[in-house]
């Protein structure tokens, strides 16, 4: 009975690994054919419907920008906005952040990275699901230049403190308390919030 449960669990795990491999291969191909630039001016993780990044690209149409989100329907909406505005330097991909960083071509460098209202996962047992983690900060640093800025905004004070302390403990990033916000434009989630907290860090 016990062995049966374990083998069912490992069978499920193997299937998930297969699905992950398949997803990553597809994404890798998609990136190879659609992302020709070496420098990405702004990378947005968890871009939702792409409201903020589209607005940024309307203002700065020559900057190459990339937004990713887990949810395909949101990326579909983001691509509609991009196409409606004829923004050829803006790219949206349906992707999970860690998988995206694993398969993005080696040459690609981010000049700015932004997280706007990422899911806060308030329960302690769910903190491991938060996007900001030591390993993520390390992997983002590999894709950054010295001076690359990381912008983070949340309505959840606990997630704000979590991110601040992870940055303070990271050998790759430091707080940049005098840096201005990259670009002010509300997002779907920002519009719903009464107040929020922002920080800027820079790659050391
Ligand atoms: C609360 S919404 C915020 C969306 C948008 N930034 C805004 O402010 O309106 C968080 C978004 O992050 C996406 N997301 C969560 N975890 C992710 C991950 N690991 N990789 C990519 N996207 C993720 C979700 O699908 C969701 O669209």
């Amino acid at each position: 009975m016990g062995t049966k449960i374990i083998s069912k669990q490992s069978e499920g795990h193997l299937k998930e690994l297969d699905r992950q491999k398949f997803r990553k291969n597809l994404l890798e191909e998609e990136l190879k054919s659609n992302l020709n630039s070496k420098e990405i001016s702004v990378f947005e993780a968890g871009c939702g419907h792409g409201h903020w990044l589209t607005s940024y690209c309307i203002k700065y149409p020559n900057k190459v920008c990339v937004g990713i989100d887990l949810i395909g329907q949101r990326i579909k909406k983001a691509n509609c906005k991009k196409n409606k505005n004829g923004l050829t330097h803006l790219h949206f991909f349906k992707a999970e952040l860690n998988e995206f960083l694993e398969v993005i071509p080696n040459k690609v460098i981010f000049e700015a990275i932004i997280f706007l209202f990422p899911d806060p996962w308030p329960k302690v047992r769910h903190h491991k699901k938060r996007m900001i983690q030591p390993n993520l900060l390390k992997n983002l640093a590999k894709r950054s230049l010295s001076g690359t800025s990381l912008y983070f905004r949340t309505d959840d004070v606990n997630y704000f403190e979590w991110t601040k302390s992870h940055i303070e403990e990271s050998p790759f990033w430091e707080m940049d308390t005098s840096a201005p916000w990259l670009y002010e434009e509300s997002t779907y989630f920002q519009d719903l919030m009464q107040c929020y907290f922002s920080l800027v860090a820079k790659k050391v």
Side-chain angles (χ1 to χ4, degrees):
M1 173 94 165
T3 343
K4 257 193 190 165
I5 292 172
I6 290 170
S7 65
K8 272 221 157 180
Q9 275 178 343
S10 41
E11 206 180 290
H13 182 63
L14 287 177
K15 277 193 183 152
E16 177 47 30
L17 287 179
D18 273 350
R19 280 195 290 268
Q20 198 184 66
K21 194 169 159 196
F22 179 73
R23 261 197 324 265
K24 286 202 285 192
N25 286 343
L26 277 185
L27 181 62
E28 194 168 10
E29 288 312 310
E30 194 186 352
L31 295 176
K32 270 190 205 146
S33 19
N34 293 296
L35 201 60
N36 302 315
S37 313
K38 211 166 135 258
E39 277 110 30
I40 293 176
S41 298
V42 182
F43 169 58
E44 184 181 2
C47 64
H49 298 161
H51 188 99
W52 184 90
L53 200 55
T54 305
S55 171
Y56 180 86
C57 287
I58 290 172
K59 182 133 195 226
Y60 303 103
N62 293 324
K63 297 214 179 213
V64 177
C65 296
V66 171
I68 65 158
D69 201 282
L70 269 183
I71 300 178
Q73 201 51 32
R74 294 187 179 165
I75 290 300
K76 220 171 165 181
K77 282 198 176 173
N79 272 320
C80 284
K81 289 193 183 80
K82 165 203 153 126
N83 295 332
K84 204 169 129 196
N85 289 285
L87 299 168
T88 50
H89 290 84
L90 172 59
H91 306 274
F92 289 111
F93 299 103
K94 175 190 178 317
E96 194 283 323
L97 177 57
N98 296 291
E99 293 181 8
F100 178 82
L101 293 173
E102 275 181 53
V103 302
I104 192 170
N106 281 335
K107 60 178 185 182
V108 174
I109 287 293
F110 304 141
E111 289 167 357
I113 301 162
I114 188 159
F115 292 83
L116 295 167
F117 300 90
D119 299 317
W121 294 106
K123 291 186 180 143
V124 172
R125 70 173 188 279
H126 290 151
H127 283 181
K128 57 181 181 290
K129 296 187 179 192
R130 287 177 167 172
M131 282 203 271
I132 303 295
Q133 301 289 343
N135 209 37
L136 177 81
L137 291 175
K138 180 172 151 196
N139 290 336
L140 287 175
K142 282 189 200 157
R143 296 299 183 166
S144 302
L145 303 166
S146 168
T148 287
S149 296
L150 185 156
Y151 301 83
F152 177 90
R153 181 171 278 177
T154 180
D155 57 300
D156 186 290
V157 70
N158 184 277
Y159 197 8
F160 176 78
E161 292 300 339
W162 161 284
T163 301
K164 187 165 174 278
S165 65
H166 277 74
I167 281 167
E168 284 165 349
E169 282 161 24
S170 169
F172 309 105
W173 299 91
E174 65 187 12
M175 293 292 290
D176 190 358
T177 48
S178 59
W181 192 243
L182 178 60
Y183 173 67
E184 279 300 348
E185 169 71 31
S186 59
T187 72
Y188 177 78
F189 278 84
Q190 186 165 314
D191 279 343
L192 301 176
M193 303 307 165
Q194 303 290 329
C195 73
Y196 46 81
F197 313 89
S198 312
L199 66 78
V200 186
K202 78 170 176 236
K203 163 92 187 337
V204 288

